[in-house]
């Protein structure tokens, strides 16, 4: 019979093993690897950086072969993208989609763990009706190309949307899609349900704060202590904007009969600096948002409407992108500097996580 001391020791070993497991790569924590810059480190250096962190997934906006090859045998999940400009040819010609898959997937898979292809970025809110009408046929043709080489069950196909696909998001239970987009969305969602593909969305509490720059809104957006907001539709309490935005998307999907489709957060983040007229960018706020977001994901608590699980979330972004147009904040979302040092520490380094976990076990 095991003694109490032996049982206690075994419990400690179990806790240590569990802690070290969670310090390793976590599939629900991803990062966007944008390349609109002229000072990025070599792909191999970036791959080594990523392997030293608990980041489990990387999203590329294209299909850069050097990066895809650098991530081979790392176990890191890779999302690759077909650009908006590729959509017309992908939609009109199955051979074009087949060639795209032959060029961007087959040379690297399975050594490079490609798990998702995104066709287009924020097409549905682009205002380009021609492009919008071609989106689902393009996605279907890419899926057909994957199916033809028996990869349809391994690699999913989706498209990334901005929160502007919703016309109603507050309270979250009232979330609904833009009626002008519903015909195309219904076709897309039927495809995604049939192929078990995720609905990918870009929620940014940063932009919500910019439109309502009060101190209580900032706390709500940064996962900081606040009184919360009660959803008047269902009485559920929200303590952060991220959950509220994601649940609004869930409500919109449910309203169209697609509540079982998985939601993936393709982008979310907070900039460290911006123009003088921008409200909210700072290192302190970026560290608070991304650090608290990661803690929230690791808690596995989920959202009020989707409890008990963590949504796959890609943080924007791995590096600052010094050539991006637009407001100053657009060039300042990086978690890491291009010399591979941290811009600010949000607890992603594997070694520091393990040390902290052990301290928490033995010095509580």
């Amino acid at each position: 019979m095991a003694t109490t001391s032996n049982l206690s020791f075994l419990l400690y070993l179990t806790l240590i093993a569990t802690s070290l497991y969670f310090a390793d790569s976590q599939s629900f924590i991803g990062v966007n690897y944008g390349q609109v810059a002229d000072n990025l480190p070599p792909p191999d250096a970036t791959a080594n950086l990523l392997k030293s962190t608990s980041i489990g997934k990387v999203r590329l906006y294209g299909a850069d072969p050097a990066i895809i090859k650098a991530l081979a045998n790392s176990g890191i999940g890779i999302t690759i993208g077909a650009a908006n400009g590729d959509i017309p040819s992908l939609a009109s010609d199955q051979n074009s989609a087949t060639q795209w898959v032959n060029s961007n997937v087959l040379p690297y898979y399975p050594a490079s763990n490609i798990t998702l292809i995104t066709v287009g970025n924020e097409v549905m809110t682009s205002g380009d009706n021609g492009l919008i009408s071609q989106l689902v046929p393009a996605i279907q043709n890419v899926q057909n190309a994957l199916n033809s080489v028996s990869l349809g069950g391994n690699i999913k196909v989706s498209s990334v949307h901005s929160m502007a696909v919703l016309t109603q998001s507050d309270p979250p239970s009232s979330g609904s899609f833009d009626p002008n987009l519903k015909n195309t969305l219904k076709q897309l969602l039927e495809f995604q349900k049939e192929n078990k593909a995720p609905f990918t969305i870009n929620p940014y509490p940063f932009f919500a704060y910019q439109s309502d720059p009060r101190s209580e809104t900032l706390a709500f957006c940064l996962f900081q202590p606040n009184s919360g907001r009660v959803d008047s539709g269902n009485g559920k309490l929200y303590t952060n904007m991220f959950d509220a935005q994601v649940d609004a998307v869930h409500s919109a999907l449910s309203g169209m009969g697609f509540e079982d489709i998985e939601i993936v957060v393709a982008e979310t983040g907070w900039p460290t600096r911006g123009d003088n007229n921008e409200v909210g960018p700072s290192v302190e706020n970026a560290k608070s948002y991304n650090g608290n977001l990661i803690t929230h994901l690791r808690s596995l608590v989920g959202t009020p409407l989707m409890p008990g699980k963590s949504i796959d979330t890609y943080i924007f972004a791995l590096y600052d992108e010094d050539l991006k147009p637009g407001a100053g904040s657009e060039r300042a979302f990086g978690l890491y500097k291009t010399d591979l040092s941290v811009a600010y520490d949000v607890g992603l380094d594997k070694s520091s996580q393990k040390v902290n976990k052990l301290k928490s076990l033995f010095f509580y």
Side-chain angles (χ1 to χ4, degrees):
M1 181 181 293
T3 65
T4 301
S5 60
N6 284 340
L7 287 172
S8 297
F9 181 67
L10 288 172
L11 177 61
Y12 268 118
L13 289 179
T14 301
L15 288 170
I16 290 170
T18 302
S19 298
L20 295 182
Y21 169 78
F22 277 106
D24 288 332
S25 296
Q26 292 161 329
S27 63
F28 48 79
I29 298 176
V31 69
N32 287 271
Y33 185 177
Q35 295 175 267
V36 188
D38 60 4
N39 58 350
L40 297 178
D44 287 344
T46 294
N48 288 332
L49 169 65
L50 290 167
K51 286 185 281 189
S52 74
T53 74
S54 56
I55 293 169
K57 288 184 168 74
V58 174
R59 177 186 169 213
L60 309 179
Y61 289 85
D64 187 309
I67 297 171
I68 296 172
K69 284 190 286 188
L71 291 168
N73 304 309
S74 67
I76 294 172
I78 306 169
T79 293
I80 60 174
N84 291 3
D86 295 330
I87 290 173
S89 62
L90 294 174
S92 63
D93 184 4
Q94 180 61 61
N95 289 332
S96 177
T98 299
Q99 182 56 47
W100 195 95
V101 168
N102 288 348
S103 298
N104 297 304
V105 176
L106 296 188
Y108 316 110
Y109 185 88
S112 295
N113 185 26
I114 299 168
T115 60
L116 179 65
I117 297 171
T118 57
V119 177
N121 189 49
E122 301 188 349
V123 172
M124 294 295 293
T125 49
S126 67
D128 187 332
N129 291 329
L131 204 60
I132 292 170
S133 68
Q134 293 173 308
L135 180 59
V136 175
I139 289 174
Q140 184 65 66
N141 282 345
V142 172
Q143 182 71 54
N144 292 341
L146 290 170
N147 292 346
S148 70
V149 289
S150 302
L151 291 180
N154 302 82
I155 302 173
K156 305 303 180 182
V157 188
S158 188
S159 186
V160 178
H161 311 289
S162 79
M163 286 293 291
V165 293
L166 303 183
T167 51
Q168 180 74 28
S169 60
D170 186 26
S173 62
S174 71
S176 60
F177 290 116
D178 183 339
N180 297 317
L181 302 175
K182 281 192 174 179
N183 286 339
T184 300
L185 278 171
K186 188 172 188 296
Q187 296 172 37
L188 175 61
L189 294 171
E190 286 172 345
F191 164 86
Q192 293 181 310
K193 181 178 181 179
E194 180 183 349
N195 293 280
K196 297 181 173 59
F199 186 82
T200 47
I201 190 78
N202 294 343
Y204 275 94
F206 168 65
F207 295 127
Y209 172 63
Q210 286 199 312
S211 65
D212 180 21
R214 296 176 294 159
S215 58
E216 56 264 39
T217 304
L218 183 62
F220 188 68
C221 288
L222 296 179
F223 299 86
Q224 293 174 341
N226 64 90
S227 57
R229 300 179 182 181
V230 176
D231 187 317
S232 58
N234 58 21
K236 293 187 180 294
L237 177 67
Y238 284 83
T239 58
N240 66 82
M241 182 67 76
F242 178 82
D243 283 355
Q245 291 183 325
V246 170
D247 273 358
V249 175
H250 177 72
S251 294
L253 290 171
S254 298
M256 290 184 66
F258 296 98
E259 62 274 8
D260 293 332
I261 288 180
E262 177 191 3
I263 296 171
V264 166
V265 171
E267 283 183 25
T268 190
W270 202 285
T272 55
R273 64 186 185 279
D275 296 330
N276 291 335
N277 63 345
E278 291 190 89
V279 179
S282 73
V283 172
E284 181 183 18
N285 287 348
K287 181 177 180 178
S288 183
Y289 178 73
N290 287 320
N292 290 334
L293 170 63
I294 290 165
T295 298
H296 182 56
L297 295 172
R298 285 176 176 158
S299 75
L300 306 181
V301 70
T303 72
L305 292 182
M306 295 178 287
K309 64 175 183 178
S310 284
I311 289 171
D312 285 3
T313 300
Y314 293 80
I315 297 173
F316 188 84
L318 186 58
Y319 302 117
D320 286 350
E321 294 177 83
D322 64 339
L323 298 181
K324 285 195 77 173
S329 59
E330 287 290 324
R331 296 178 286 282
F333 277 85
L335 293 170
Y336 293 87
K337 299 177 183 178
T338 52
D339 65 1
L340 304 177
S341 64
V342 294
Y344 49 89
D345 186 10
V346 290
L348 288 172
D349 182 75
K350 281 181 182 176
S351 59
S352 65
Q353 284 182 69
K354 291 178 181 179
V355 169
N356 290 336
K357 288 286 186 181
L358 288 170
K359 284 181 178 178
S360 70
L361 286 171
F362 291 103
F363 300 100
Y364 60 94

